[in-house]
Amino acid sequence: MIIKNVCLETVCGITSKLPDNVHPEVAFAGKSNVGKSSLINALMNRKSLARTSAQPGKTQTINYYHINDAVYFVDLPGYGFARASESVKAQWGKMIEDYLHKSKQLKAVFLLIDIRHAPSENDCIMYDWICRNGYQPIIIATKLDKINRSQIQKQLKLIRMTLNVAEGTVLIPFSAETKQGREEIYEIIDSILEDNYEEVL
């Protein structure tokens, strides 16, 4: 995948109607400090189009980035931010579940998990939500550069076991610093676009 042009096209809040897009969408879900904005920026080849913040829980909207006039990267609200009120957490959860249930162009969901830790209860709930809505999540294990190479396989096994992932689930270790894993993610998105093109024909 070669990134030619990118724009933040639509921002949806809790009361917004989801856009009726004609191009395929791939969504990115993850807890609020998992490095989601850093991943999306790395994929878009932009330094700060997706806003990163030292304060977790900043993404409170669904953000649609239009890539190459061919596909949307959909940044879902970060979940599990401890300081958010229960009502705000409930709103974020409803936004994410509504999107998963109602989007007509959603082709794949990437679920981001911090490779340094076992998936949290919220991560497990999100994995189940995605599965219940008919998608097999693609797991991205972020912050790969933060652990020793010798720990990688052990941590990937821990993620698979804690989430109780379905057989054949793709799990990609990723580093926003080194960009390791980016090509594998591009390949998945390219295959989604090729499949979509064939469906149109």
Side-chain angles (χ1 to χ4, degrees), residues 129-152:
W129 270 4
I130 296 166
C131 292
R132 276 210 312 270
N133 279 283
Y135 300 95
Q136 185 171 16
I138 299 148
I139 312 296
I140 301 180
T142 61
K143 308 196 180 185
L144 178 62
D145 51 283
K146 307 288 188 192
I147 64 170
N148 294 327
R149 193 172 282 274
S150 61
Q151 296 176 285
I152 294 172

Side-chain angles (χ1 to χ4, degrees), residues 4-139:
K4 295 174 183 171
N5 54 70
V6 173
C7 73
L8 174 57
E9 186 173 286
T10 310
V11 176
C12 289
I14 189 69
T15 58
S16 305
K17 182 179 179 293
L18 296 176
D20 226 358
N21 291 327
V22 295
H23 290 143
E25 299 168 8
V26 294
F28 298 86
K31 63 185 180 186
S32 52
N33 58 348
V34 76
K36 188 155 50 68
S37 296
S38 297
L39 167 74
I40 293 171
N41 282 326
L43 291 177
M44 295 190 301
N45 244 351
R46 301 294 188 274
K47 283 190 178 172
S48 57
L49 189 54
R51 283 179 232 159
T52 59
S53 173
Q55 183 184 347
K58 276 290 187 187
T59 306
Q60 299 179 24
T61 52
I62 300 175
N63 299 332
Y64 291 77
Y65 297 93
H66 204 180
I67 315 295
N68 294 347
D69 298 318
V71 62
Y72 288 92
F73 290 177
V74 182
D75 184 5
L76 299 175
Y79 57 82
F81 180 45
R83 285 190 213 162
S85 68
E86 290 305 314
S87 62
V88 168
K89 287 179 188 174
Q91 284 184 335
W92 293 349
K94 185 176 186 312
M95 285 173 73
I96 294 169
E97 195 156 35
D98 279 354
Y99 172 76
L100 293 173
H101 185 62
K102 293 177 181 176
S103 173
K104 295 173 185 171
Q105 291 294 346
L106 180 59
K107 303 299 180 185
V109 183
F110 293 91
L111 176 60
L112 281 62
I113 305 290
D114 188 330
I115 198 169
R116 298 173 298 177
H117 312 294
S120 66
E121 183 183 356
N122 282 321
D123 290 326
C124 295
I125 290 168
M126 179 55 62
Y127 179 81
D128 289 340
W129 270 4
I130 296 166
C131 292
R132 276 210 312 270
N133 279 283
Y135 300 95
Q136 185 171 16
I138 299 148
I139 312 296

